Amino acid sequence: MTAVTDATGAVREPPARVPPAERGATRIADRVVAKVAAQAAREAAGPTPADADAPHATVTVHRDTARIRVHLELGYPCDIGARCAAVRRQVTERVGALVNMKVSEVAVRVERLHPPTATGGRTR
């Protein structure tokens, strides 16, 4: 270790290092994890109708493990199963990477299916 001098030039001992276990812990709020999950669901859900609500998520965190429930709306017709699987994969990956939590469950709930618009095509 290097000696430390004060303003008068006197040598004093550097502060003792605190062991990692005694430094504390980082706690990430459930609502932060929910926002990350909702954004990941938006990324994975694919094109949605203009009048659809944005996906949102609710989260339960126990220690370093999250259980996530995602609510979304989809355009119809579409492959609902494939879209839900893509959302589950993306949410698991993004929460793991950005928040460093294991995801034990991602439940996807399709709240509403939007039929095509009167012009025959979906928007957005």
Side-chain angles (χ1 to χ4, degrees), residues 28-49:
I28 298 173
D30 293 6
R31 70 176 183 258
V32 172
V33 180
K35 286 183 180 186
V36 170
Q39 177 60 39
R42 273 190 289 283
E43 294 168 2
T48 57

Side-chain angles (χ1 to χ4, degrees), residues 6-110:
D6 61 17
T8 63
V11 177
R12 60 184 171 92
E13 290 294 317
R17 293 187 181 243
V18 178
E22 295 178 19
R23 289 183 199 156
T26 301
R27 167 116 169 63
I28 298 173
D30 293 6
R31 70 176 183 258
V32 172
V33 180
K35 286 183 180 186
V36 170
Q39 177 60 39
R42 273 190 289 283
E43 294 168 2
T48 57
D51 60 340
D53 289 338
H56 65 279
T58 55
V59 175
T60 304
V61 176
H62 183 68
R63 295 193 178 137
D64 291 335
T65 303
R67 294 177 63 197
I68 302 168
R69 183 173 303 272
V70 176
H71 305 265
L72 56 96
E73 297 181 10
L74 298 173
Y76 184 80
C78 71
D79 186 347
I80 298 169
R83 288 267 196 74
C84 291
V87 167
R88 278 191 293 276
R89 276 191 305 275
Q90 182 76 353
V91 168
T92 301
E93 178 183 310
R94 299 293 280 171
V95 168
L98 296 175
V99 187
N100 196 28
M101 283 188 183
K102 293 186 293 184
V103 177
S104 64
E105 174 185 1
V106 178
V108 179
R109 180 174 179 154
V110 178

